[in-house]
Amino acid sequence: MSLLSVRDAAQVYTTRRGLFGGRVDVRAVDGVSFDVAPGQTLGIVGESGCGKSTTGRLALGLERPSEGSVTFDGQAMPAPGTADWRAMRAKMQLVFQDPLGAMDRRLTIARQIEEPLEIHGIGDKAERAARVAALLVDVGLRADHGLRHPHELSGGQRQRAVLARALATNPSLLVCDEPVSALDVSIQAQVVNMLTDLQAARGIAMVFISHDLKVVRQVSHQVAVMYLGRIVEQGDPDALFADPAHPYTRALVSAIPVPGPRRLERIVLAGDPPNPADRPTGCAFHPRCPVAIARCRTDTPALRHSPCGRMVACHLVDTETRIAA
Ligand code: SF4
């Protein structure tokens, strides 16, 4: 059973081409579909600008998709800002990359954790104080951390406090957007372990957005790889990282630092991702793809089930050519 269901979601922004150019539609997200079951994590990976954060915002109902639909707990996502949406938001929370930016520097940590309880009318003053104290313990902070202000905590402690606030309303879905990218590697591991422990204990579903494939592999039950607004490969993380099928996924996986001899030779992609306002024809990856064929310049590959057991959007996925990529 799916808790979050996204179907054919597209998000189109209208922008200007250059200073004096005409208006152009940018498809930041284009035809994205996925399901997340209770207690499960979907990891979304891809380079900056691939549409993963916009996908997270659509999943939370912070933006309404231009096309397609988002369903949470069997209900269509209400329009942002409405009373129905606010009620639903208590069950869905966002964890940001930058904990300092996500917090109010003037308020104590305890006050900030209490705030969502107050907003959603949960408990009286004493009950809320007890809940804040329990949440601080759950995320590995001490009671005296609650009396401090955000700048008086370390980066890891701040991210724990942000997580405590996100958990305050007992959500069934967390959307974590680069939640550990700003932390030192040693602290990252601690916060990720705490996050997965809390998720397992509470049965929370997660959408975990990151450019860090190692972290995504560690936390995810399913992984979606995005390129220029579309999912190009989706499936089981162990199989995907062991034998990536899409040439873009192969390049990303080949860049993961590994101790000892490398199984997959490093693939360095030429150039940067194209401007979404100037999307290449056919397969959007073709200008950078090391195994592109003529057809790739004209035909857009559909995301479909492939013999490797995952969903892949590549004309060559059924052929031997991908092996050599
Ligand atoms: Fe490369 Fe063509 Fe596959 Fe796109 S469809 S990833 S360009 S081989």
Side-chain angles (χ1 to χ4, degrees):
M1 193 204 73
S2 162
L3 178 71
L4 174 70
S5 188
V6 176
R7 285 287 164 276
D8 302 317
Q11 192 63 318
V12 183
Y13 302 116
T14 301
T15 181
R16 238 174 229 295
R17 198 190 292 273
L19 199 54
F20 305 107
R23 290 185 171 279
V24 60
D25 283 347
V26 177
R27 299 184 77 84
V29 170
D30 195 10
V32 163
S33 297
F34 57 80
D35 290 284
V36 188
Q40 299 283 296
T41 297
L42 171 76
I44 303 182
V45 293
E47 290 163 294
S48 172
C50 70
K52 52 191 192 301
S53 291
T54 305
T55 302
R57 292 175 64 78
L58 293 178
L60 275 175
L62 291 169
E63 295 182 26
R64 235 171 144 68
S66 314
E67 297 163 18
S69 64
V70 179
T71 308
F72 179 78
D73 210 6
Q75 291 179 51
M77 190 66 73
T82 60
D84 286 349
W85 178 76
R86 277 193 291 276
M88 200 179 263
R89 275 305 311 279
K91 300 181 206 158
M92 306 178 287
Q93 294 292 338
L94 176 62
V95 178
F96 297 95
Q97 172 182 4
D98 171 18
L100 200 54
M103 303 187 101
D104 188 329
R105 294 164 194 241
R106 297 161 303 176
L107 300 180
T108 64
I109 299 299
R111 180 74 194 106
Q112 299 197 51
I113 297 172
E114 186 189 3
E115 230 174 16
L117 295 171
E118 219 172 59
I119 289 169
H120 292 288
I122 299 170
D124 58 24
K125 189 77 190 158
E127 287 164 343
R128 289 199 295 269
R131 177 132 181 84
V132 169
L135 283 162
L136 285 169
V137 173
D138 287 349
V139 298
L141 294 175
R142 297 189 310 266
D144 65 284
H145 287 129
L147 305 175
R148 300 185 196 177
H149 289 81
H151 66 274
E152 295 174 299
L153 299 184
S154 68
Q157 289 168 339
R158 275 198 291 271
Q159 196 55 297
R160 287 171 189 270
V162 165
L163 192 56
R165 189 173 64 178
L167 294 173
T169 55
N170 229 354
S172 41
L173 173 71
L174 284 182
V175 174
C176 302
D177 192 353
E178 301 279 6
V180 293
S181 303
L183 304 177
D184 292 344
V185 175
S186 58
I187 308 294
Q188 276 187 10
Q190 291 173 17
V191 173
V192 166
N193 288 340
M194 180 200 62
L195 189 56
T196 49
D197 287 351
L198 285 168
Q199 179 197 19
R202 295 167 183 236
I204 300 171
M206 271 206 296
V207 175
F208 193 99
I209 297 164
S210 178
H211 68 278
D212 187 332
L213 277 77
K214 275 174 83 173
V215 175
V216 166
R217 182 178 191 173
Q218 186 187 342
V219 303
S220 304
H221 301 92
Q222 285 278 310
V223 171
V225 180
M226 288 189 74
Y227 188 79
L228 219 62
R230 293 185 183 155
I231 294 176
V232 296
E233 184 162 357
Q234 186 171 0
D236 174 77
D238 288 338
L240 183 143
F241 285 98
D243 182 25
H246 193 282
Y248 178 59
T249 315
R250 290 182 75 79
L252 292 182
V253 172
S254 79
I256 300 175
V258 287
R262 180 174 280 289
R263 204 185 76 73
L264 198 62
E265 198 169 316
R266 177 80 200 266
I267 301 164
V268 180
L269 292 176
D272 296 320
N275 182 346
D278 211 0
R279 190 184 182 85
T281 55
C283 173
F285 186 56
H286 85 255
R288 304 171 80 195
C289 181
V291 291
I293 55 176
R295 181 185 173 199
C296 303
R297 284 193 279 277
T298 52
D299 295 1
T300 305
L303 184 70
R304 61 197 166 89
H305 288 285
S306 81
C308 66
R310 298 184 298 279
M311 303 278 283
V312 183
C314 174
H315 296 310
L316 299 183
V317 72
D318 302 336
T319 72
E320 288 300 306
T321 311
R322 80 163 184 92
I323 307 292

